[in-house]
Amino acid sequence: MEWMPSRRQRWFDAPCHLCRLDTVDPDGLCPDCRREWRAALGRPRCRGCGLILAGDGADGKTCAACVGKPSAFEGVIAAVDLDPSVRALVHRLKYRQDFSVVPLLQATLVEAARADGAVGDIDVLVPMPLHPRQRRRRGFNQSWLLADGVARATGLPLLRRGVRRVRDTGSLTALSARERRRTLKGAFAVDGAVPRRVAIIDDVLTTGASARALAAALRQAGAASVSVWALARTP
């Protein structure tokens, strides 16, 4: 049997991010929640939209709704579904500035990208930008935090300048997919040329309208393929 260190040696004296027990690993999960988290992370997803593959009508990589349908992206990676537990973690970061959850969220997206085998197909990472007004209100950009962790773990370069959100569209939560597309038209600008293969890093993928609008701006700046790597996908 492999030797296991004692609780005092192995675990940190802090509550689990999910169940709030006080035995956690370096990413902030207790053993039971770590097993459940890994199970959620390993579910096969559609390369076109990031939804979990159901099997009916799918070709093994693409869901029935996306088969034969032109995609705005070269590929979509979504690490986990935006279930209540994941939503709570994202909200703790975005609205309560609880940066203790960042290592777990970064590691989750890194693991999903590596499992997908997409790391070698990307030239540069582009975090989803916030409008300067929204950035000042929040104090940080959560997509930048995710992208920084992915860049450090994979060695991929991070595009730090030149990609801007030029329109403050406000919250899009209550809008339909069509309303989001209309609102986001012309919302992004790219200064100068970008590498050919780009991965957009975002925290949550819902309709994909923001990512599509940013992808259009990146293609105008020279990107030949644009993928989306998101921490969570709205089911």
Side-chain angles (χ1 to χ4, degrees):
M1 178 183 291
E2 181 181 357
W3 176 79
M4 296 293 288
S6 68
R7 178 182 182 276
R8 181 179 297 275
Q9 293 170 306
R10 181 177 176 82
W11 304 110
F12 292 78
D13 187 16
C16 172
H17 287 317
L18 299 181
C19 72
R20 311 310 290 170
L21 294 179
D22 64 353
T23 55
V24 302
D25 61 19
D27 286 338
L29 295 180
C30 71
D32 289 341
C33 288
R34 168 61 70 184
R35 284 191 289 272
E36 293 180 9
W37 191 265
R38 286 199 174 279
L41 184 58
R43 303 188 69 178
R45 293 180 176 273
C46 173
R47 291 284 294 168
C49 66
L51 291 173
I52 293 173
L53 287 172
D56 52 326
D59 61 4
K61 294 183 179 180
T62 310
C63 70
C66 289
V67 169
K69 178 180 175 182
S71 175
F73 312 112
E74 189 70 18
V76 174
I77 294 173
V80 292
D81 268 352
L82 190 68
D83 63 19
S85 295
V86 177
R87 186 187 301 274
L89 293 181
V90 172
H91 284 193
R92 280 169 57 184
L93 172 60
K94 292 171 67 172
Y95 306 123
R96 293 167 49 191
Q97 297 188 353
D98 183 354
F99 298 106
S100 70
V101 304
V102 170
L104 173 61
L105 303 185
Q106 289 175 332
T108 299
L109 185 51
V110 168
E111 187 170 347
R114 284 177 169 162
D116 186 88
V119 174
D121 298 329
I122 298 300
D123 296 321
V124 70
L125 304 174
V126 174
M128 176 64 69
L130 292 177
H131 188 272
R133 193 176 297 116
Q134 188 178 10
R135 170 67 171 77
R136 287 192 297 270
R137 286 196 298 263
R138 183 168 297 164
F140 65 97
N141 182 346
Q142 69 280 354
S143 296
W144 269 96
L145 295 179
L146 290 172
D148 182 67
V150 174
R152 286 187 284 105
T154 63
L156 289 171
L158 181 60
L159 192 61
R160 298 184 178 276
R161 294 184 179 87
V163 180
R164 299 176 291 123
R165 196 172 193 134
V166 295
R167 290 178 51 208
D168 187 359
T169 55
S171 175
L172 304 174
T173 304
L175 301 183
S176 67
R178 178 176 296 179
E179 290 170 334
R180 290 184 186 216
R181 289 194 297 270
R182 184 170 61 249
T183 301
L184 286 159
K185 188 175 182 179
F188 300 97
V190 180
D191 303 325
V194 298
R196 290 181 55 80
R197 303 177 300 175
V198 178
I200 297 171
I201 306 296
D202 206 357
D203 59 337
V204 177
L205 183 67
T206 303
T207 66
S210 294
R212 288 188 186 92
L214 178 54
L218 290 167
R219 287 195 173 93
Q220 288 180 352
S225 69
V226 180
S227 300
V228 179
W229 296 1
L231 168 71
R233 177 65 162 92
T234 303

